[in-house]
Amino acid sequence: MAASDAAAAMGNLSLMDASEASALLEKALQSIKIKELAAAADSAKQGTPHILEHSMAPLDAFHEMAKREFGACPVQDGDKKLIGTLDLRDAVKFVVDVSSKKDDKDFAANIAVTGGNKKSQIKGIESHPEVQKDNAGVSYLARMRPFKVYPEDSDLVDVAKVLSSGRHIVGCSDQDGALGKIITQKMLFAAVAPGLKAVTLHVEAIMTSPVISVKCDASAFEAFEAMTKRDVSGLAVVDSKGHLIHNVSTNDIKLWVDHESDHDLDINKTTIEDFLVTIRSSDKVKATAGKTRVPVCTVHPGESVGHAVGRMQSTGYHHVWVVDTNKKPVGVISMTDLFKMGTFVKK
């Protein structure tokens, strides 16, 4: 299996400095072929490509992804050529971009909505004549995130570089050169996590800092706008004293898209804290939520990378927040940071 191969290749990473640990991780990535991840995905009945059509309305595409629990999907044009990737983060970008380009700052809140007595802001925005005039399906969103397909004999160094640059999926071609499997950040993480759990390097050596955060009384729209401007999938939510109390993630975006019609939420007037509490408290969400999920996953700067990796494994999160003794966020360590650790040697 790819995971055991990676663990064996990394050996004992204890007491190494950052450059030594990254060099050994890079060696491990070189030892694994992408077809091994594809084979593991096939055994787990994962990674089957689901390709979206460029002409799909954004709302339909986002709902399709949320229903299938995909964070990202490749998109093809009318000639079946892959033109890019649609990411659930784009649901936020779609709302923010449309709202921001209108003269009326309350455009998103004041659009005529559909869905009985419940507001559906995404649907309302999408159906507005001004938006329909400008919008050509999901093409414009997909083209902003190129979709890379690797030959099956490629090693994982280049794959890790792409998955550490803001993209969440790549493709693995089959023997005929066609798209065979989708490889996600989570799949790559599963392959290298066993070896990384031995790393005693402190998380502060590889964490991303400073933290992008919003106050809990900021509007949900302001939080989404911050995510869009920085193109991030995670955002810290802090109280008036700067203590970490919540985080916004791609999973929350999925819940919002998937269950939006269940809630009467105006993202311009609802605080981000109330927004998160509302979408996470839905009976439908509770029925499908994993039992291992925790509200906020944290580690301290002096704790090991291995400990952070263990926390990510146990919770299923793609990132953990690094907090000081007062629970103020000072950094974040994500799958992206871990992949960068194994690829920055060549930069």
Side-chain angles (χ1 to χ4, degrees), residues 14-148:
S14 299
L15 304 179
M16 288 186 170
D17 63 23
S19 60
E20 290 174 323
S22 65
L24 203 52
L25 177 55
E26 183 180 47
K27 183 178 179 181
L29 292 170
Q30 290 173 336
S31 72
I32 307 172
K33 302 299 184 183
I34 191 172
K35 64 183 177 183
E36 296 176 59
L37 289 190
D42 193 48
S43 297
K45 297 183 178 180
Q46 298 175 339
T48 301
H50 184 77
I51 303 174
L52 302 175
E53 297 296 331
H54 72 108
S55 58
M56 288 185 74
L59 178 69
D60 293 338
F62 296 140
H63 274 302
E64 174 111 359
M65 292 167 64
K67 178 180 68 176
R68 294 175 179 269
E69 298 192 347
F70 292 149
C73 283
V75 177
Q76 66 183 10
D77 63 16
D79 296 322
K80 305 301 181 183
K81 179 182 178 182
L82 297 173
I83 60 172
T85 308
L86 189 68
D87 192 296
L88 270 181
R89 289 173 293 177
D90 297 326
V92 172
K93 179 174 177 56
F94 177 71
V95 173
V96 169
D97 282 358
V98 169
S99 301
S100 298
K101 73 178 183 178
K102 302 303 174 184
D103 293 332
D104 181 1
K105 293 183 179 180
D106 291 326
F107 172 80
N110 294 329
I111 290 177
V113 296
T114 61
N117 295 325
K118 297 293 185 181
K119 288 188 176 182
S120 176
Q121 287 187 296
I122 300 177
K123 185 65 176 177
I125 291 172
E126 184 182 82
S127 61
H128 193 277
E130 287 297 310
V131 177
Q132 289 193 334
K133 181 178 67 177
D134 297 337
N135 183 33
V138 296
S139 295
Y140 84 102
L141 290 168
R143 292 183 191 280
M144 291 186 290
R145 302 184 193 276
F147 180 69
K148 179 72 174 178

Side-chain angles (χ1 to χ4, degrees), residues 149-170:
V149 180
Y150 289 93
E152 60 178 0
D153 286 327
S154 302
D155 65 41
L156 297 186
V157 173
D158 288 338
V159 172
K161 285 183 177 179
V162 171
L163 295 180
S164 67
S165 66
R167 280 175 267 173
H168 290 170
I169 60 172
V170 297

Side-chain angles (χ1 to χ4, degrees), residues 196-201 203 304-311:
L196 289 174
K197 289 182 74 172
V199 178
T200 57
L201 184 71
V203 297
S304 70
V305 169
H307 175 68
V309 168
R311 295 281 281 156

Side-chain angles (χ1 to χ4, degrees), residues 173-223:
S173 63
D174 59 21
Q175 293 180 340
D176 298 323
L179 177 62
K181 286 290 181 182
I182 298 295
I183 304 299
T184 66
Q185 279 191 331
K186 192 173 183 178
M187 292 177 189
L188 180 58
F189 174 73
V192 299
L196 289 174
K197 289 182 74 172
V199 178
T200 57
L201 184 71
H202 290 174
V203 297
E204 61 188 346
I206 68 167
M207 70 183 187
T208 297
S209 182
V211 168
I212 303 171
S213 65
V214 294
K215 294 288 182 65
C216 59
D217 58 357
S219 70
F221 179 84
E222 290 173 312

Side-chain angles (χ1 to χ4, degrees), residues 71 87-93 96 145 164-168 185 208-214 222-237 247-253 318-319 321 332 334 336-337 340:
D87 192 296
L88 270 181
R89 289 173 293 177
D90 297 326
V92 172
K93 179 174 177 56
V96 169
R145 302 184 193 276
S164 67
S165 66
R167 280 175 267 173
H168 290 170
Q185 279 191 331
T208 297
S209 182
V211 168
I212 303 171
S213 65
V214 294
E222 290 173 312
F224 290 166
E225 189 174 40
M227 293 176 72
T228 297
K229 286 181 177 179
R230 299 297 187 94
D231 195 25
V232 294
S233 56
L235 194 69
V237 181
N247 81 121
V248 187
S249 71
T250 304
N251 189 61
D252 294 308
I253 298 169
H318 285 213
H319 61 264
W321 299 100
V332 62
S334 65
T336 295
D337 295 306
K340 284 180 179 178

